[in-house]
Amino acid sequence: MIATAPAPPRAGTSRLRAEVRIVAEADGRGGTRFAVLRGAAPVSLRPTPDGLHLVASAAGPLGGDVVAIDVRVGADAALTVRTAAASLALPGRDGAPSAVTVTAEVGPGGSLRWLPEPLVAVAGCRHTASATVRLADGATLVWRDEVMLGRHGEPPGDVVTRLAVDVAGRPLTRHELRAGPSAPGWDGPGALGPCRAAGSLLVAGPGHRAGEPAVLSPTAATLPLDGPATLTTATAPDAPTLRRLLDTAHRPPR
Amino acid sequence: MHRDAEHPTPLGRNPGPVRVGIGGPVGSGKTALVAALCRTLGAEIPLGVVTNDIYTTEDADFLHRQAILPPARIRAVATGCCPHTAIRDDIAANLDAVEELVRAEPSIQLVLVESGGDNLTATFSRALADLQIFVIDVAGGDKVPRKGGPGVTSSDLLVINKTDLAPLVGADLGVMDRDARARRGDRPTLFTSLRDDPGATAVADWLRARLPAVAVGS
Amino acid sequence: MLPPAALLLADTRLPAGGHAHSQGLEAAAAAGEVHDLPSLRAYTLGRLWTTGLTTAAMAAATLRACSAEGGADWAGLDAEAGARIASPVLRDVSRRLGRQLLRAATAAWPDPVLDGLAAALPGGAHHPVALGAAGAAAGLDDHAVAVCAGYLSVTEATGAAVRLLGLDPYGVARLVAGLLDEVEAAADEAAAPRALADLPCPSSPRLDAGAQDHATWEVRLFAS
């Protein structure tokens, strides 16, 4: 089971439009400092030794919420982003969709590790989590997406996760997962199958050796892309199994 | 360029190396014939092989093990449950394989394209094979030439293989020869036993005589 | 209306090499996931709305790019197509099928667009790019080529199922007929004009893992 942190209740009708901005720069002494750290409800930002934590100050995303997160990692800077707990994509009262959109740029020699806890696609939700990452030559990216397909014993709502990464202006990956009632056949043998958890881990960067493709399970594989990168995709019966499969391919440094 | 006046072959019609299709039923000795031709002709003509296997790359693996040709001279294509489709209806994968052979070894002048074992109606598209050799064996019964079918009647050469088994299986080579003539008119038929003649000398001679002069001994 | 040229482009008898590929069905059948008509329908539907949609969207975008001033950016389109195929085995299959389709399309519809593609990418284009270019040469519009892509995604899998599993061909015909509305709906989404990076690109982890595994089998009937 996923531990979900209790979040303050919300009035069902209020919609949030949030723009979060994070700018990390090399501090010139081998470390990284934040030039800009601007949270916006429902996302507050908490730097910890373990990385920058995105903390939800309200339940959600709730149908109708639109959260945009802009991340800049400068040359030779290093940023790890985590979340304190799983986030729950919840249906809004009027069926409006919710969206969390991340736009990130990483400069030469810079490194971004995006390692949030899973997203739970609650029954009835209509959620899109979309990320566009532009890497400079010589930048490093570790990107994890994990989706729990519904809470325990319920079918998921509509959920789309999308990751588009360019390296020096050239497309590296365009990777999308869809589940829920609006994605025909999503739980069949041609797509995700009868799983409760699905996700991917992208590792890209000049120091990364792609190596040979590896089949981790009948529904999980580590796949070298065209370029110094591997994408591990997996479906699993539960969140811990999914995490284990993704970690098999690459245990992200803490 | 050789043209047989009575039986004009489309030799040289297709660009690139001369492609010889070798077809016939399962177990008639196609792969053994290909190996024999590689041994006999390989020293004089730069050649390559494309195998069309039904289940596996077994035929290609057999040729690899025999070490008659360098591995880069042998390509295997899969046929999706339909060996005759790959050599007749949709020859794309085979043309691709021929192109890959030539890219890897531009000197190649002869490509033997071996079909997966199929039935008596399986023939090569003329756009894939310049010449076709159809291989049957005496153990399949001495009635096969009489039954005919496109492989028996229209191939450029009919090879009746495993003649050494004829006494054991009660096959009458005379009957087979007579029926083959009746079906094929003047098209040639050769009787072979790769056990007695591992170089398939007669087939190699027939093939050599049909190759463009430039391809032989150059 | 779908122009008649679409019938030829979407015909599995067009000699473009598709018959040797099962669209992942051989792996799914071996895993016991596809064994009858209902499981074949589930498989085909999921495939259509993942890799089928992704292929259709790239093909439609390629077709639109063919009429761009100064011609299509073939290398750019090809890189976008490759970035949508995570499995190295399936990237190789895509290139092979792209090369083979280009050969067939050039024979059927000789056109400077196809010559331009062949010249720009001598090693062959990814299949969705070749399909879009073939559609342009055949005079189709972006929606028609997306319909072709979706239809082929369905029929190449069901065709393989008939050969591999011996399923009732009439039942399979009924199954395909029942999926045509889905093909149309997928084409509607695929052909909606967007920037290349924003085109729909749903993937199927099962097909990726299945394709990688299948490529290692010693005994197999299909190339993929």
Side-chain angles (χ1 to χ4, degrees):
Chain A
M1 291 305 295
I2 303 162
T4 51
R10 280 179 56 188
T13 51
S14 66
R15 292 182 179 186
L16 295 167
R17 294 278 182 282
E19 290 188 12
V20 175
R21 189 164 158 79
I22 301 159
V23 179
E25 294 175 344
D27 63 6
R29 303 188 303 276
T32 298
R33 66 183 175 87
F34 291 108
V36 178
L37 210 51
R38 193 177 72 210
V43 181
S44 60
L45 304 176
R46 189 180 302 157
T48 77
D50 200 23
L52 180 68
H53 276 66
L54 308 185
V55 182
S57 54
L62 191 63
D65 289 357
V66 177
V67 176
I69 302 173
D70 188 60
V71 183
R72 302 291 154 105
V73 180
D76 300 321
L79 173 64
T80 300
V81 178
R82 301 179 186 277
T83 58
S87 55
L88 268 72
L90 297 161
R93 205 167 261 183
D94 56 1
S98 55
V100 173
T101 304
V102 181
T103 310
E105 285 189 20
V106 186
S111 151
L112 173 62
R113 297 172 200 281
W114 187 269
L115 301 167
E117 294 307 303
L119 169 73
V120 183
V122 170
C125 77
R126 292 178 60 200
H127 184 68
T128 300
S130 171
T132 304
V133 184
R134 284 185 282 274
L135 300 178
D137 251 336
T140 297
L141 178 69
V142 178
W143 190 280
R144 185 171 69 204
D145 268 318
E146 292 170 320
V147 185
M148 295 303 301
L149 301 160
R151 288 170 301 198
H152 186 70
E154 75 176 10
D158 286 323
V159 62
V160 177
T161 68
R162 198 183 150 80
L163 175 63
V165 180
D166 284 10
V167 179
R170 191 178 185 280
L172 175 69
T173 187
R174 309 278 183 256
H175 187 69
E176 192 178 308
L177 288 181
R178 296 183 179 188
S182 295
W186 73 270
D187 58 352
L192 296 181
C195 63
R196 301 299 304 166
S200 62
L201 179 78
L202 176 77
V203 183
H208 179 63
R209 289 191 47 208
E212 292 296 307
V215 177
L216 309 173
S217 87
T219 63
T222 295
L223 306 163
L225 303 178
D226 279 341
T230 52
L231 184 70
T232 300
T233 68
T235 67
D238 52 48
T241 308
L242 178 65
R243 179 67 61 87
R244 202 158 51 241
L245 285 167
L246 297 181
D247 279 356
T248 304
H250 174 81
R251 185 164 290 282
R254 294 185 64 83
Chain B
M1 192 152 295
H2 174 92
R3 293 274 176 189
D4 186 310
E6 285 175 62
H7 298 291
T9 66
L11 248 189
R13 188 186 65 178
N14 298 309
V18 174
R19 308 174 204 148
V20 178
I22 297 176
V26 176
S28 59
K30 296 182 295 300
T31 308
L33 178 62
V34 168
L37 291 173
C38 289
R39 267 187 227 105
T40 307
L41 295 173
E44 45 190 292
I45 308 164
L47 59 79
V49 174
V50 177
T51 62
N52 285 245
D53 281 332
I54 304 180
Y55 298 106
T56 62
T57 54
E58 200 170 289
D59 291 346
D61 294 345
F62 174 80
L63 295 172
H64 283 306
R65 275 198 307 277
Q66 300 277 306
I68 307 159
L69 289 179
R73 299 281 192 92
I74 304 168
R75 301 277 155 158
V77 303
T79 57
C81 288
C82 257
H84 58 266
T85 302
I87 60 162
R88 187 183 61 201
D89 305 351
D90 184 348
I91 59 176
N94 271 296
L95 292 180
D96 240 22
V98 172
E99 281 181 6
E100 283 170 12
L101 279 174
V102 174
R103 231 186 341 264
E105 187 47 74
S107 68
I108 282 180
Q109 304 202 33
L110 171 66
V111 176
L112 305 176
V113 182
E114 182 195 343
S115 165
D118 206 327
N119 58 44
L120 296 174
T121 66
T123 53
F124 285 81
S125 162
R126 288 289 176 188
L128 174 60
D130 300 305
L131 286 170
Q132 308 199 28
I133 299 175
F134 199 73
V135 184
I136 61 175
D137 72 317
V138 300
D142 57 13
K143 292 190 206 65
V144 171
R146 182 155 53 81
K147 287 179 187 165
V152 167
T153 58
S154 68
S155 57
D156 297 292
L157 175 68
L158 178 67
V159 172
I160 299 176
N161 193 21
K162 304 187 190 176
T163 52
D164 50 305
L165 295 182
L168 301 174
V169 299
D172 186 332
L173 297 181
V175 166
M176 295 183 90
D177 189 34
R178 187 195 64 210
D179 291 344
R181 280 176 201 281
R183 287 284 172 199
R184 294 175 53 77
D186 291 339
R187 292 171 192 272
T189 299
L190 289 173
F191 287 85
T192 58
S193 163
L194 295 178
R195 175 168 291 177
D196 299 339
D197 176 14
T201 316
V203 180
D205 288 346
W206 176 88
L207 187 52
R208 196 185 284 111
R210 268 146 196 84
L211 293 176
V214 63
V216 182
S218 57
Chain C
M1 286 295 289
L2 205 64
L7 300 178
L8 179 53
L9 187 56
D11 189 343
T12 48
R13 291 195 171 226
L14 184 71
H19 75 95
H21 298 264
S22 76
Q23 305 272 350
L25 189 109
E26 185 170 28
E33 291 169 351
V34 177
H35 48 86
D36 58 7
L37 289 171
S39 55
L40 176 62
R41 185 181 190 281
Y43 176 83
T44 310
L45 186 63
R47 198 177 192 294
L48 169 66
W49 281 100
T50 52
T51 56
L53 171 56
T54 301
T55 299
M58 255 333 284
T62 299
L63 187 141
R64 285 192 297 273
C66 289
S67 56
E69 208 166 319
D73 169 14
W74 295 117
L77 289 162
D78 198 57
E80 285 284 351
R84 286 158 168 75
I85 309 170
S87 152
V89 164
L90 293 180
R91 278 200 302 278
D92 184 54
V93 167
S94 170
R95 269 210 195 288
R96 239 165 232 289
L97 289 177
R99 200 160 56 226
Q100 295 175 6
L101 173 60
L102 195 56
R103 192 200 320 267
T106 303
W109 298 288
D111 191 286
V113 164
L114 301 178
D115 300 339
L117 171 53
L121 301 171
H126 276 300
H127 180 253
V129 174
L131 187 57
L140 305 185
D141 65 13
D142 53 356
H143 190 269
V145 86
V147 169
C148 290
Y151 179 77
L152 282 167
S153 157
V154 168
T155 54
E156 287 183 347
T158 55
V162 169
R163 279 179 273 158
L164 196 58
L165 300 172
L167 295 181
D168 167 16
Y170 300 99
V172 171
R174 186 166 61 242
L175 185 158
V176 172
L179 284 174
L180 295 179
D181 285 348
E182 298 284 346
V183 169
E184 176 93 24
D188 290 346
E189 181 178 350
R194 293 178 214 229
L196 284 181
D198 299 331
L199 293 171
C201 56
S203 63
S204 166
R206 291 196 158 226
L207 295 181
D208 285 337
Q212 292 298 134
D213 184 46
H214 180 268
T216 67
W217 295 3
E218 195 190 347
V219 177
R220 57 196 166 113
L221 292 158
F222 289 85
S224 74

